[in-house]
Amino acid sequence: MKTIYGATINCPVLHLHGIEESHALLSTLDLEKSWMKNPRDLTIKIVPGVGHFIQHEVPDDLNQTMSSWLKDSGN
């Protein structure tokens, strides 16, 4: 497990990634997993047809996805 500034991520994380994203690459997801104390706590959702600004491009889908994830991660 790697650290970020000497720390690890110890909580569930939702990573939403627009498939048209040109700045943050999907290839960085393995690095992100390596920062997690428990890599199974990382949920990755790939959003088709969306780029970097998911909140502007598909706000309703974003809200639904986050809402469902928060409900599920509370169990």
Side-chain angles (χ1 to χ4, degrees):
M1 175 175 41
K2 296 182 180 182
T3 63
I4 305 170
Y5 302 109
T8 58
I9 299 172
N10 298 316
C11 63
V13 172
L14 173 61
H15 177 120
L16 297 169
H17 191 94
I19 197 67
E20 304 299 324
E21 168 67 71
S22 60
H23 300 285
L25 304 176
L26 281 173
S27 60
T28 63
L29 292 176
D30 285 337
L31 178 61
E32 189 173 348
K33 285 180 188 174
S34 74
W35 296 329
M36 304 288 298
K37 181 175 182 179
N38 182 356
R40 291 179 303 217
D41 282 344
L42 176 61
T43 302
I44 300 166
K45 300 281 185 184
I46 307 299
V47 185
V50 175
H52 185 74
F53 296 101
I54 295 174
Q55 70 277 17
H56 296 293
E57 296 176 54
V58 288
D60 293 337
D61 291 341
L62 174 65
N63 288 338
Q64 178 61 43
T65 300
M66 290 174 58
S67 201
S68 294
W69 181 80
L70 287 167
K71 287 177 188 172
D72 292 343
S73 66
N75 293 331

